[in-house]
Amino acid sequence: MLRVLAVDDEEPALGELLYLLRSDPRVRSAEGATDATGALRRIGRALEAGPDGEEAVDVVFLDIHMAGLTGLDVARLLAGFARPPLIVFVTAHEGFAVQAFDLKAVDYVLKPVRRERLAEAVRRVHDLVHAAGAPAPAPVATLGTPEQIPVELGGVTRFVSVDDIAYVEAQGDYARLHTDGGSHLVRIPLSTLEERWAARGFVRIHRSHLVALGRIDELRLDGGATSVRVGSAELAVSRRHARELRDLLMRRAGG
């Protein structure tokens, strides 16, 4: 059974979270902390005690926006330890999901917290702890690798594989991920995804579009204008990106 620490600087939200956690049969104990400093002290005692000690903590359910150190700051500090507790972020803000999973978070739960959604996060943690015998960094990485991106669908967080994304369309501060099965809106700037996914074969073809090079079916030249066909979509290529894209496609075809 899991030993849980929940951290939120809003006491009503913390109380509700602790109530839901203590109602879950997989949770052995659930303590609360109202700031990052108190949480770090408690986690420090847990790390000194070791995974089998009386004060051990298996997982921290962590708010992001708090006075002083943020939840992301806490997670970064914990990442420096050999055997830190697992992390589940619980937040009202969608825009930090990429950073959260970079920090090897097990899950990212949006407020207001629903009992069913929290139970799913607890299940993931329980499965990891049970499989590993104790929380460890290696299993966590399988749920939060850069090859997946979390998207919210009807209050449920799902994970879209980057390999399934054909192209990305900028929509203000958001980006729409287009896959064969549909599209998903995430609050991540296109420029951020361009930088993160360059090594995975995504190229900028326009200020509004990022495309997986391997998903380009046709390159079209028409009266000086360049476009590409990606599945059923035809996307314009800006002049500044046209030559580089042609070179990349030719090298890919030749290699």
Side-chain angles (χ1 to χ4, degrees):
M1 295 177 68
L2 299 174
R3 297 156 296 186
V4 177
L5 176 65
V7 188
D8 196 315
D9 63 353
E10 296 181 0
E11 291 194 17
L14 177 61
E16 177 67 13
L17 180 58
L18 286 171
Y19 171 77
L20 293 174
L21 287 168
R22 289 166 180 163
S23 301
D24 193 302
R26 292 162 295 197
V27 174
R28 170 181 167 185
S29 63
E31 301 175 52
T34 55
D35 58 51
T37 302
L40 287 170
R41 287 198 202 99
R42 178 64 185 87
I43 295 167
R45 296 200 305 272
L47 293 173
E48 289 177 5
D52 299 320
E54 290 185 3
E55 293 199 278
V57 171
D58 297 309
V59 57
V60 182
F61 283 76
L62 188 58
D63 189 20
I64 288 183
H65 278 297
M66 297 185 290
L69 292 176
T70 69
L72 294 172
D73 293 329
V74 172
R76 291 187 188 101
L77 289 169
L78 294 181
F81 291 90
R83 296 176 68 86
L86 305 180
I87 298 290
V88 172
F89 285 103
V90 182
T91 177
H93 304 274
E94 298 180 2
F96 297 96
V98 171
Q99 295 177 59
F101 285 95
D102 274 348
L103 291 167
K104 305 298 184 284
V106 175
D107 209 341
Y108 191 90
V109 179
L110 289 176
K111 297 179 181 179
V113 177
R114 296 183 301 108
R115 183 186 294 271
E116 297 81 4
R117 181 66 186 86
L118 187 65
E120 172 63 17
V122 171
R123 182 196 65 77
R124 289 178 180 174
V125 173
H126 183 271
D127 288 351
L128 283 173
V129 172
H130 179 74
V140 184
T142 63
L143 288 176
T145 61
E147 287 76 19
Q148 292 182 319
I149 187 165
V151 299
E152 284 289 322
L153 295 171
V156 176
T157 303
R158 297 184 181 178
F159 300 90
V160 175
S161 171
V162 175
D163 292 336
D164 292 337
I165 298 170
Y167 68 96
V168 186
E169 178 184 3
Q171 294 189 347
D173 292 333
Y174 291 76
R176 183 168 292 280
L177 314 177
H178 291 266
T179 68
D180 293 337
S183 67
H184 311 279
L185 193 65
V186 294
R187 193 170 184 176
I188 306 171
L190 194 67
S191 56
T192 299
L193 296 180
E194 177 185 10
E195 181 180 345
R196 289 174 55 82
W197 294 348
R200 297 190 61 79
F202 280 80
V203 295
R204 191 72 167 260
I205 65 167
H206 190 275
R207 61 186 174 85
S208 299
H209 289 109
L210 186 67
V211 175
L213 200 63
R215 300 294 291 271
I216 294 176
D217 299 310
E218 292 180 0
L219 176 68
R220 299 178 178 180
L221 304 175
D222 184 10
T226 305
S227 64
V228 292
R229 185 174 63 80
V230 181
S232 60
E234 185 171 348
L235 308 174
V237 181
S238 66
R239 289 180 181 272
R240 61 175 296 200
H241 295 293
R243 181 171 181 176
E244 180 184 3
L245 178 63
R246 286 197 298 269
D247 290 345
L248 285 170
L249 289 172
M250 293 304 174
R251 285 201 298 269
R252 185 182 180 89

